[in-house]
Amino acid sequence: MTVSVLVVDDQPLVRHAVRDILIDGGLVVAGEASNGLDAVRLTKTAAPDVVLMDIRMPEMDGIAATALICAQNDSAAQPRVLILTTFEEDENVVAALRAGASGFIGKGAEPDEIVRAVRTVHRGEALLSSTATRALIERSIRRGGSDPAVRWTTALALLTPRELEVLVLVAEGLANAEIAAGLTISPHTAKTHVNRIMSKVGARDRAQLVILAYETGLVVAGA
C-alpha cells in the first residue's frame, strides 16, 4: 500500500534527510513544510496519509498545528500525525499527544525505524507501548499537566466493565492479540472492543486511549 507523508521541520537539512529516508523506504513524500501554518495548509491541499511533525517551529509550533489538523471536520481528510523530536523526554510530546498525535519517534532513530513508525501510525496503531513513553506521560500527569474533568472523566461512564478492562490493557501497551490472550477472547473481539471504546469516548486512535486512561486515574501513574 502506498503511504504519502508530509514532512514538517524548520531545518532544511533535516527535512531533506527525512525526505530521502522515506523515499528510500518506499513511501511517497507529498510535500514539505517549515512551520505549522504551512503544515495545516498542505494537509488540505496535498492530502497526506501521515504528517511527520516537528514540535519547535516558528509562526506555529507542532502542537498547535497537530490540534488543527486533527480537528478537521472531514474525517476522511485527517492524516495521522507522528511527532519527530530531538528530545524524546520533552513534555511537549505529551501535549502533542493530547492534541491528537498518534505517537512519536526520535530524530536519532535509524532510517528503517522511521519508515516502520510511519507505516505503524498509518495503520491506526499508536507508538506508545514502550516503558519510556509511558513514563513520560506519567511524569507529565504528576506535574499537573492534565485537566481530566474537562475532557475525559464523563467518558468512562459510557464504558462497560469489559471495555474498561480492555482500556487498561491498551494503556499498558498491549496489542490486540495480547489483549485477546489475556482476556481469553478472539483478536477480532479485542479489536471490536477497542474500536467501540474509541467511538464512545471520541478518541481518534489508541494514543488518545492511553492519555484517557492515565488522566482519569484508571491507570495510576507509577503504579
Side-chain angles (χ1 to χ4, degrees):
M1 176 184 295
T2 301
V3 179
S4 62
V5 186
L6 174 65
V7 180
V8 186
D9 198 291
D10 63 334
Q11 298 181 47
L13 286 176
V14 173
R15 287 201 311 275
H16 297 163
V18 171
R19 178 193 62 199
D20 291 345
I21 286 171
L22 298 177
I23 292 173
D24 289 345
L27 304 175
V28 174
V29 175
E32 299 177 29
S34 60
N35 60 66
L37 283 174
D38 286 344
V40 173
R41 176 180 58 81
L42 283 171
T43 58
K44 297 177 181 179
T45 58
D49 298 309
V50 176
V51 178
L52 198 53
M53 180 81 75
D54 189 22
I55 292 181
R56 293 181 175 86
M57 295 180 291
E59 297 190 54
M60 178 185 288
D61 65 25
I63 298 170
T66 295
L68 288 174
I69 290 169
C70 294
Q72 293 180 110
N73 292 328
D74 183 0
S75 60
Q78 290 182 0
R80 304 285 181 180
V81 177
L82 175 62
I83 300 299
L84 184 63
T85 178
T86 302
F87 306 103
E88 295 186 49
E89 295 187 1
D90 187 345
E91 291 184 13
N92 284 327
V93 171
V94 178
L97 294 173
R98 291 195 184 101
S102 297
F104 70 90
I105 188 168
K107 290 182 179 179
E110 294 295 325
D112 60 334
E113 291 178 313
I114 294 175
V115 171
R116 283 199 304 270
V118 169
R119 293 191 182 279
T120 295
V121 298
H122 178 247
R123 291 194 300 268
E125 300 174 24
L127 290 178
L128 291 172
S129 60
S130 73
T131 301
T133 304
R134 293 199 299 276
L136 174 62
I137 295 171
E138 291 173 359
R139 185 165 64 252
S140 175
I141 291 170
R142 287 196 201 100
R143 293 180 181 178
S146 65
D147 188 0
V150 173
R151 186 176 185 190
W152 294 123
T153 303
T154 57
L156 290 186
L158 302 173
L159 305 182
T160 67
R162 173 61 92 184
E163 287 168 348
L164 289 171
E165 283 184 282
V166 172
L167 177 55
V168 168
L169 296 177
V170 169
E172 292 176 352
L174 273 64
N176 289 341
E178 295 169 317
I179 292 172
L183 298 179
T184 319
I185 58 178
S186 71
H188 175 75
T189 299
K191 181 179 179 179
T192 298
H193 281 310
V194 172
N195 290 340
R196 190 170 295 147
I197 293 167
M198 287 193 289
S199 177
K200 284 185 176 182
V201 305
R204 71 192 305 266
D205 59 22
R206 296 171 80 101
Q208 290 198 313
L209 293 185
V210 175
I211 295 291
L212 180 156
Y214 278 105
E215 292 193 340
T216 56
L218 185 64
V219 174
V220 179

